[in-house]
């Protein structure tokens, strides 16, 4: 543990998109990208920060969804939940291969490969310094993994939701389309809503605002970015009350 550095947060909820795991590949899990994320994760653990993770399933399910036109929405959502379990298992395996204790808790009952989600057990794992990876979303269709991140973050008493993306933060407009777009260092929930900024989906955003749970959007691909966020250095965009 790095006793010299003092993190700003004791417990975090890290939201990883499935797309972030595939790197430049068109689908699946890129092993080099996965290894990079585990190394970033280790910097948080070295600071003594307790880490919960919610992972998406887009890297697996997006390809399936292309051929699923006309599929019932609830069925598609359950398939997406299973994709998140696969990603969670890959994260857990990479953690263990790097000497990090990790547990997968699934909102769907798949006891052969993951613990069921039990809040008290998740809290105990976190207190013991284990990484807890929350899989299968909320266990309900029509709910995104963004909503899961907000919900699990509130349930386990996280100090902040860190949304790990491929962009440096939240911009005034899409920087790919508008070269004059500038990045916010911080912004309030009300300002983000008023400016129609797509921070998270509406349900997740409303839950974070209601619970006073700040959100930080940052680029997980930048080396050392997670550590800088945890130490309160200039990195990403903070959304707060």
């Amino acid at each position: 543990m790095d006793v010299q550095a003092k993190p700003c947060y004791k417990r975090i909820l890290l939201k990883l998109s499935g797309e972030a795991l595939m790197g430049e590949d068109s689908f699946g899990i890129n092993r080099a990208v996965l290894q990079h994320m585990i190394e970033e994760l280790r910097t948080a653990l070295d600071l003594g920060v307790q880490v919960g993770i919610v992972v998406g399933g887009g890297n697996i399910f997006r390809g399936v969804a292309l051929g699923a036109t006309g599929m019932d929405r609830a069925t598609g959502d359950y398939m997406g939940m299973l994709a998140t379990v696969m990603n969670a298992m890959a994260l857990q395996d990479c953690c263990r291969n790097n000497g990090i204790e990790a547990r997968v808790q699934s909102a769907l009952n798949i006891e052969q490969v993951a613990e069921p989600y039990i809040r008290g057990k998740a809290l105990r794992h976190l207190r013991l310094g284990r990484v807890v990876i929350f899989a299968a979303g909320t266990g309900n269709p029509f709910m995104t993994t963004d909503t899961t991140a907000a919900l699990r973050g509130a349930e386990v008493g996280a100090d902040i939701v860190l949304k790990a993306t491929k962009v440096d933060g939240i911009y005034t407009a899409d920087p790919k389309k508008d070269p004059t777009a500038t990045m916010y260092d911080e912004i309030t929930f009300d300002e983000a809503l008023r400016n129609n900024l797509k921070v998270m989906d509406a349900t997740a955003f409303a839950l974070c605002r209601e619970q006073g749970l700040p959100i930080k959007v940052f680029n997980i691909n930048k080396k050392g970015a997670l550590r800088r966020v945890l130490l309160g250095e200039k990195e990403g965009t903070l959304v707060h009350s």
Side-chain angles (χ1 to χ4, degrees), residues 7 35 44 75 89 123 126 131 146 155 161 167 182 197 216 232:
Q35 182 64 37
T75 300
M89 291 173 67
L123 290 170
L126 290 169
V131 174
D146 274 353
E155 284 183 300
V161 172
V167 295
T182 56
L197 301 175
K216 171 82 81 160

Side-chain angles (χ1 to χ4, degrees), residues 12-229:
I12 63 169
L13 193 292
L14 181 64
K15 168 59 170 65
L16 284 175
S17 68
E19 285 87 345
L21 294 177
M22 66 187 186
E24 298 303 317
D25 298 341
S26 55
F27 64 90
I29 300 168
N30 183 295
R31 198 69 189 180
V33 169
L34 187 59
Q35 182 64 37
H36 163 74
M37 290 187 178
I38 298 304
E39 289 167 4
E40 289 291 298
L41 196 58
R42 189 188 295 282
T43 66
L45 299 172
D46 287 345
L47 290 170
V49 177
Q50 298 172 10
V51 181
I53 299 175
V54 167
V55 63
N59 57 319
I60 295 171
F61 186 64
R62 290 286 186 274
V64 176
L66 291 175
T69 306
M71 181 182 290
D72 178 75
R73 168 66 191 274
T75 300
D77 282 355
Y78 280 117
M79 290 172 67
M81 290 178 215
L82 294 174
T84 72
V85 175
M86 294 169 70
N87 282 336
M89 291 173 67
L91 275 171
Q92 180 188 45
D93 181 70
C94 197
C95 280
R96 289 177 172 172
N97 288 341
N98 285 271
I100 297 171
E101 273 201 87
R103 299 289 188 274
V104 175
Q105 289 203 342
S106 171
L108 294 177
N109 192 11
I110 320 176
E111 292 188 22
Q112 287 88 343
V113 296
E115 297 178 4
Y117 170 65
I118 300 172
R119 178 175 175 269
K121 204 167 184 180
L123 290 170
R124 182 172 183 273
H125 288 320
L126 290 169
R127 285 193 292 266
L128 290 173
R130 297 166 181 157
V131 174
V132 183
I133 307 165
F134 300 106
T138 66
N140 302 292
F142 312 109
M143 297 290 173
T144 66
T145 49
D146 274 353
T147 299
T148 306
L151 178 62
R152 296 289 183 252
E155 284 183 300
V156 302
D159 299 313
I160 191 168
V161 172
L162 301 181
K163 183 165 182 178
T165 68
K166 293 182 177 181
V167 295
D168 291 343
I170 302 171
Y171 286 80
T172 53
D174 186 341
K176 292 181 180 178
K177 298 177 181 177
D178 184 354
T180 65
T182 56
M183 193 182 88
Y184 294 101
D185 288 330
E186 60 179 79
I187 190 171
T188 66
F189 285 112
D190 290 339
E191 287 172 329
L193 278 173
R194 188 163 58 246
N195 296 332
N196 195 32
L197 301 175
K198 306 298 184 183
V199 182
M200 291 177 127
D201 71 75
T203 305
F205 195 74
L207 181 55
C208 285
R209 183 173 64 164
E210 180 183 299
Q211 296 299 317
L213 184 59
I215 304 166
K216 171 82 81 160
V217 179
F218 73 105
N219 187 346
I220 189 66
N221 295 322
K222 289 170 66 177
K223 187 173 177 60
L226 179 56
R227 178 184 169 84
R228 290 191 292 274
V229 167

